[in-house]
Amino acid sequence: MVADLAFFQQQPLDRLNTLRLPARARFFARAFSEPALRYILGSVTAHNFPLYILGGGSNLVLAGALDGLVVQPALMGRELITMQGDTALVRVGAGESWHQTVLWTLQQGWSGLENLALIPGTVGASPIQNIGAYGVEVSDRLHSVRALQISTGDLRTFTADECGFAYRDSIFKSQVAGEYVVIDVLFKLNTKPDLCLDYGDIRGELARQQVSRISPMAVAQAVMAIRSSKLPDPAQLGNAGSFFKNPTVSVEHANSLKQAFPDLVAYPNAQGVKLAAGWLIEHAGWKGYQQGAVAVHDRQALVLVNHGGGTGAELLDLAAKIRASVNAKFAVELEQEPIIWQ
Ligand code: EPU
């Protein structure tokens, strides 16, 4: 056994996923260093176990016992690598908390991540689904990602371009899914703030808080207030944030929907028109709907919640009904956002 590695058998995962779904891992390892991570990944390759990489468990649906090895990379550390003009290049370990990292960068005087405050999860998970909120995606602030190739143990650096970022997507979810484990992320942050205030109600919230000097930290606080007002805190109520992506449809499809539903929430984009999935779900009648212990959140219909005691199968059943009903009413296919492990 190597140092920096905690290893368990039949590990309950209930507390390691923010939906609080019950599941067990046959083997579970937490790696506190890169050598420990390389060692445990080597053992997986040797034994050919199914492998699951766990971050903060905040974008995950556990739908059964996992007859394999769950590895949680707990690689910590945050450091300034260089200053280039107004740009700070900052390296952060995959195991660090995303939100604590956002606050730390702001305290250092480096802006760029303020709109992404209060997103649950770890830094290592942030590039996988290209987390985003209030007009900013992590891909806008990311320089590169270092990752271990599971089959060889080699370290590879992916530039932001090589990550193939798109809306809630990257190559880590598609072309190279299951092949790499993120070690750390290099961010490019600014000493001269370039604030993004025009999305959602950021300006309204800053006015409500009577902020006279709009600093990056003030923007983070506004975002935190807005998120807290509509998104449930996973520490209080099990959830995985948005359960579906906002779908993009053709301009013709959006126009015909707009005629039938004049208050449809829709934003034109390069591919067509993006629709607010929360609006579609609410107007298909699901907001606040409860089925056993699982439910559609009563303040944000895009969020499914577990009131306690719900299972992954129950949640996926509810999600399937919502998807079918939205499809029947609006002819729109919803795509699930969280990853399913079963
Ligand atoms: N809406 C409704 N009913 C609802 C929910 C939303 O009508 O029940 C309407 C709102 O009134 C608004 C529009 O839909 O006009 C958009 O709602 P909101 O601003 O709450 O954002 P969202 O599109 O539902 C997305 C992200 C969130 C992110 C927010 C803010 C996705 C899938 N979700 O939600 O990300 O925090 O924008 O930028 O893109 C996440 O991915 O887990 C997540 C929380």
Side-chain angles (χ1 to χ4, degrees), residues 39-52:
Y39 170 85
I40 193 72
L41 294 177
S43 81
V44 174
T45 315
H47 293 94
N48 209 15
F49 288 135
L51 172 69
Y52 306 85

Side-chain angles (χ1 to χ4, degrees), residues 5-315:
L5 190 68
F7 187 82
F8 308 91
Q9 294 195 33
Q10 296 301 337
Q11 167 73 25
L13 300 175
D14 311 24
R15 292 173 168 276
L16 298 176
N17 74 97
T18 60
L19 269 163
R20 299 285 179 262
L21 297 171
R24 253 169 214 280
R26 181 167 169 209
F27 303 112
F28 178 88
R30 189 170 287 131
F32 296 94
S33 67
E34 198 182 307
L37 185 59
R38 204 177 257 115
Y39 170 85
I40 193 72
L41 294 177
S43 81
V44 174
T45 315
H47 293 94
N48 209 15
F49 288 135
L51 172 69
Y52 306 85
I53 305 298
L54 180 68
S58 55
N59 195 46
L60 187 62
V61 178
L62 294 173
L66 301 174
D67 188 23
L69 172 70
V70 174
V71 173
Q72 194 171 43
L75 307 178
M76 312 311 269
R78 302 175 184 136
E79 55 173 334
L80 176 67
I81 300 297
T82 72
M83 291 293 296
Q84 297 172 349
D86 298 336
T87 304
L89 283 182
V90 178
R91 176 167 288 151
V92 185
E96 293 283 355
S97 142
W98 174 263
H99 176 62
Q100 292 307 321
T101 297
V102 171
L103 294 182
W104 176 80
T105 59
L106 296 174
Q107 282 152 6
Q108 307 304 307
W110 306 323
S111 64
L113 302 180
E114 53 278 358
N115 294 46
L116 305 178
L118 216 56
I119 295 181
T122 58
V123 166
S126 65
I128 311 285
Q129 61 144 344
N130 187 19
I131 59 171
Y134 301 99
V136 176
E137 292 182 331
V138 74
S139 55
D140 302 329
R141 309 293 189 244
L142 185 144
H143 176 278
S144 53
V145 175
R146 289 199 307 163
L148 273 185
Q149 188 171 30
I150 294 165
S151 58
T152 61
D154 292 346
L155 199 54
R156 175 171 164 193
T157 299
F158 294 81
T159 63
D161 277 350
E162 288 168 342
C163 289
F165 287 123
Y167 167 58
R168 296 294 190 273
D169 204 10
S170 74
I171 55 163
F172 302 109
K173 280 178 80 177
S174 49
Q175 286 102 310
V176 299
E179 289 181 37
Y180 288 89
V181 181
V182 174
I183 298 292
D184 52 36
V185 180
L186 199 56
F187 296 99
K188 47 180 183 11
L189 305 176
N190 293 314
T191 50
K192 290 211 177 112
D194 179 15
L195 301 176
C196 173
L197 305 175
D198 293 322
Y199 188 100
D201 196 24
I202 294 184
R203 284 187 194 278
E205 183 58 36
L206 287 165
R208 261 192 295 285
Q209 293 184 10
Q210 299 182 324
V211 173
S212 50
R213 197 186 139 263
I214 302 180
S215 65
M217 187 61 96
V219 174
Q221 274 157 0
V223 166
M224 288 157 68
I226 299 168
R227 287 186 74 97
S228 306
S229 72
K230 53 181 156 186
L231 292 169
D233 176 357
Q236 315 285 331
L237 180 59
N239 77 92
S242 301
F243 204 82
F244 300 100
K245 295 183 189 181
N246 285 327
T248 293
V249 299
S250 68
V251 174
E252 298 72 42
H253 190 166
N255 284 343
S256 75
L257 285 174
K258 199 84 187 163
Q259 289 204 327
F261 308 98
D263 62 339
L264 177 81
V265 179
Y267 319 90
N269 67 14
Q271 292 76 40
V273 179
K274 187 182 263 202
L275 304 180
W279 186 96
L280 298 173
I281 297 168
E282 177 175 347
H283 289 80
W286 291 98
K287 197 170 190 170
Y289 178 87
Q290 184 155 354
Q291 177 177 290
V294 297
V296 180
H297 190 50
D298 54 9
R299 271 178 287 149
Q300 171 39 300
L302 201 44
V303 176
L304 301 190
V305 299
N306 177 10
H307 284 287
T311 64
E314 286 165 354
L315 198 78

Side-chain angles (χ1 to χ4, degrees), residues 311-335:
T311 64
E314 286 165 354
L315 198 78
L316 293 176
D317 180 66
L318 176 59
K321 286 179 179 157
I322 294 170
R323 202 183 289 117
S325 133
V326 166
N327 201 354
K329 181 153 185 172
F330 304 108
V332 174
E333 194 71 54
L334 290 182
E335 194 187 329

